[in-house]
Amino acid sequence: MTFVDEAKIYVQSGKGGDGMVTFRREKYVPRGGPSGGDGGKGGDVIFVANPKINTLYQFNHKARFLAEKGRPGGSSNKTGASGRDMVIEVPLGTIIRDAETGKVYADLSTPEQRIVLLTGGRGGRGNARFATSRNQAPNMAEKGEPGQELWLKLELKLLADVGLVGMPNVGKSTLLSVISNARPKIADYPFTTLSPNLGVVTMEYRDFVAADIPGLIEGASQGAGLGHAFLRHIQRTRLLVHLVDGTAKNPVADFNQINAELSIFDERLKERPQIVVVNKLDLPEAQEQWPALEQKFTALGYEVLGISAATQQNTRKLVQRMFQKLDELPDRVQVLEESEVPTYEISEDVVFHVEKLEDGLFRVTGKQIERAVKMTYWELDEAVARFQRILETLGISEALEKQGVRVGDTVIIGDTELEWGE
C-alpha cells in the first residue's frame, strides 16, 4: 500500500431536524393545544486516532465526510431522532489543520484520542415550546440549525522513537532491515527510499519503533520525491541515529550538511540527542578512515560507533545502546502547542522581502532565508548549490529577477553579501 502522509478533505456536521407545528385532536380536550415536537440534533464530526492505521491512504478515495441530519419533530411532542455522527479514523500522529488558514485544530498523538471537531446543528423547536399564557396556540416552530463545514488538511507525522537520518545510500534501509522487522526496498543508488519505512526493534521482551526517513538533500527540488514533506516525521522522534558513509570523501561535511538541513526546518532538532554511526566498516576505505572519523566526531561532542550493516558487525551493540539511550530520555517528545506547530507548505508561510537598494545592489530579508544563510557551508560547492536551490524553492530567485538582478550584482542576505551568478 502506498504511503500517504497528506490529504485534503471536506467535512460537514449534520443539520438539525426541523421542529413541527401540530395540535392535539383529542376527545374531551377543549380546543386541543400545541403538540409539535422538537427536531433532532444533527450528527457531529468526530476524529479518532486509530493505532492500527499507518497512512492517510483511505482519503485518496474519499474526500467528503458528511454527518447525518437530525430528524424532524413529530406530533404529540415527539422529538426527532438525532443524526448519526460521522466518525473519521486517522493514524496516530495526525495533525488536523484548516486548509485555508493553516490553523491547527487537533494533534492526535495518543491511541483512541477523540476530538469533536464540528458539532451538529441544534434541532429546531416545535410549536409546543412557544406556547405562552398570551399565545396558547402558537402556529410557529423553528427549522433546524445548519451544520458546520470545513475544508481540512490532514498531515501525518510518524510516531517513531528513533529516526535514522543521513545522506542517500549510507545504509539506513539496510540497517533498519537488519535490526527490525521492516523489509524496505534496498538498492545501490541514491533515493531508494522515497517514503518513510517503519520497523519494530525488539530485544528481550522490549521494543521500540525505528523509522528510516528521507531527508531534504540534493535532488529533492528536482522532483525526486523528498523534501520538507518527509522532514516533519523526524520531529516526534526521541533519538536520532545519524548514519555516515565511512567510504565517503568527506563524511564530516555530509554530517554537518544534514544537521544544517534539520535545523533549517525546525531549530528544535539541533537539540535532539544523536548517536553518530559510521557505516560500511567491512570495506577497506572505511576501515582506513575509521580512526580519524571516531576522533573527529568525539571531538564534536557526539557518541560515535562504527558498524557494518551489510555484515551486521556491531549492529547488536548499536541496538543495545539505543535501548539504553531511550531509557534516559522522556517517554515521548512533547506534543507541540498549537501556536508552536510549524506549517509545512512553503507557498503559504514563507515570508521574505526583496528590496533594490541601488543599481547592482539588492537586499533580501526573511527569518527562514537568513537562517539558511547562517547554516550554509560556503566552502563546500554542494552546499552553495543547495542554497541556490533554496532560493529557487522559496521563490526568492524569481522575485530578484523581477526586480532586475543581473549576473555580477550583489545580494545582501542578513550579514552576508553574495555575488549573483547565472
Side-chain angles (χ1 to χ4, degrees):
M1 182 172 63
T2 304
F3 185 91
V4 179
D5 64 352
E6 283 189 343
K8 185 178 180 180
I9 64 173
Y10 173 82
V11 293
Q12 185 181 70
S13 59
K15 173 185 175 296
D18 295 339
M20 187 174 188
V21 176
T22 186
F23 296 89
R24 291 197 301 268
R25 295 291 184 266
E26 299 178 28
K27 193 175 183 180
Y28 307 121
V29 178
R31 290 194 295 267
S35 62
D38 299 340
K41 176 183 173 297
D44 299 333
V45 175
I46 302 172
F47 283 85
V48 179
N50 185 342
K52 296 182 180 179
I53 301 176
N54 297 320
T55 80
L56 299 174
Y57 180 78
Q58 58 172 316
F59 300 106
N60 275 359
H61 304 284
K62 183 179 179 181
R64 293 175 63 86
F65 296 85
L66 312 178
E68 193 176 57
K69 298 177 181 178
R71 303 293 183 183
S75 58
S76 302
N77 295 310
K78 294 176 182 175
T79 301
S82 296
R84 284 180 295 182
D85 296 332
M86 170 55 67
V87 179
I88 304 171
E89 295 186 335
V90 295
L92 288 178
T94 299
I95 291 178
I96 304 172
R97 295 181 180 275
D98 187 295
E100 295 182 1
T101 67
K103 176 183 178 182
V104 176
Y105 293 114
D107 189 342
L108 303 179
S109 56
T110 57
E112 308 304 330
Q113 184 179 349
R114 297 168 65 90
I115 177 174
V116 179
L117 188 65
L118 297 181
T119 303
R122 176 178 59 83
R125 292 177 292 179
N127 68 334
R129 300 283 295 274
F130 292 94
T132 66
S133 59
R134 292 187 177 185
N135 185 7
Q136 299 183 15
N139 191 29
M140 68 165 295
E142 288 179 331
K143 287 190 174 182
E145 181 183 20
Q148 301 170 300
E149 59 182 357
L150 277 176
W151 277 98
L152 299 174
K153 181 179 179 182
L154 307 182
E155 297 175 346
L156 176 59
K157 290 199 286 189
L158 300 178
L159 295 180
D161 298 292
V162 176
L164 307 181
V165 298
M167 297 293 274
N169 209 23
V170 296
K172 299 189 299 294
S173 296
T174 301
L175 177 61
L176 185 67
S177 69
V178 168
I179 65 175
S180 76
N181 60 352
R183 294 297 175 263
K185 175 184 176 183
I186 300 172
D188 190 21
Y189 54 84
F191 304 112
T192 303
T193 305
L194 297 181
S195 64
N197 293 307
L198 284 176
V200 179
V201 182
T202 60
M203 186 180 73
E204 298 176 356
Y205 306 105
R206 302 177 62 199
D207 60 53
F208 65 80
V209 178
D212 161 21
I213 304 170
L216 179 65
I217 31 77
E218 184 175 359
S221 61
Q222 280 72 50
L226 313 179
H228 285 83
F230 294 111
L231 281 173
R232 77 175 61 130
H233 298 304
I234 301 175
Q235 286 182 306
R236 293 182 185 271
T237 56
R238 300 160 55 199
L239 173 67
L240 296 180
V241 172
H242 197 143
L243 261 71
V244 173
D245 185 349
T247 67
K249 292 182 179 179
N250 195 339
V252 178
D254 292 343
F255 172 83
N256 288 333
Q257 195 60 46
I258 290 295
N259 278 343
E261 298 285 1
L262 298 179
S263 297
I264 289 172
F265 178 72
D266 186 344
E267 289 182 315
R268 295 177 179 87
L269 290 175
K270 65 184 179 183
E271 307 297 335
R272 199 63 46 85
Q274 287 193 33
I275 298 176
V276 179
V277 176
V278 179
N279 191 23
K280 305 186 181 181
L281 288 190
D282 55 307
L283 302 178
E285 304 98 302
Q287 294 172 9
E288 184 178 344
Q289 290 198 88
W290 162 243
L293 290 176
E294 182 181 22
Q295 185 177 2
K296 287 179 181 179
F297 285 119
T298 301
L300 291 173
Y302 292 98
E303 180 178 353
V304 59
L305 185 67
I307 71 163
S308 169
T311 65
Q312 301 187 28
Q313 174 187 346
N314 276 349
T315 54
R316 181 171 178 80
K317 181 178 180 181
L318 173 60
V319 169
Q320 292 173 337
R321 186 60 191 127
M322 284 192 270
F323 272 106
Q324 292 170 0
K325 198 72 174 177
L326 289 173
D327 287 342
E328 301 169 3
L329 299 174
D331 289 341
R332 175 165 294 171
V333 174
Q334 185 176 1
V335 176
L336 300 176
E337 298 294 333
E338 176 178 325
S339 60
E340 298 177 319
V341 176
T343 304
Y344 310 109
E345 286 196 0
I346 291 175
S347 60
E348 292 181 359
D349 295 277
V350 170
V351 178
F352 63 86
H353 178 68
V354 175
E355 179 184 5
K356 184 175 182 179
L357 302 177
E358 58 185 59
D359 286 342
L361 186 62
F362 299 80
R363 181 185 297 279
V364 179
T365 56
K367 180 178 179 181
Q368 187 166 1
I369 191 62
E370 290 176 20
R371 191 168 66 194
V373 166
K374 292 179 180 179
M375 295 181 178
T376 296
Y377 292 87
W378 299 106
E379 66 273 20
L380 301 177
D381 292 340
E382 290 183 10
V384 175
R386 174 195 154 275
F387 182 79
Q388 182 62 43
R389 292 195 297 273
I390 291 177
L391 291 177
E392 295 172 359
T393 300
L394 301 185
I396 295 174
S397 294
E398 182 180 358
L400 282 166
E401 289 168 0
K402 288 181 179 179
Q403 291 278 7
V405 70
R406 292 175 295 182
V407 175
D409 288 348
T410 299
V411 178
I412 303 172
I413 306 177
D415 298 327
T416 303
E417 293 186 6
L418 305 174
E419 181 179 342
W420 192 254
E422 296 183 357

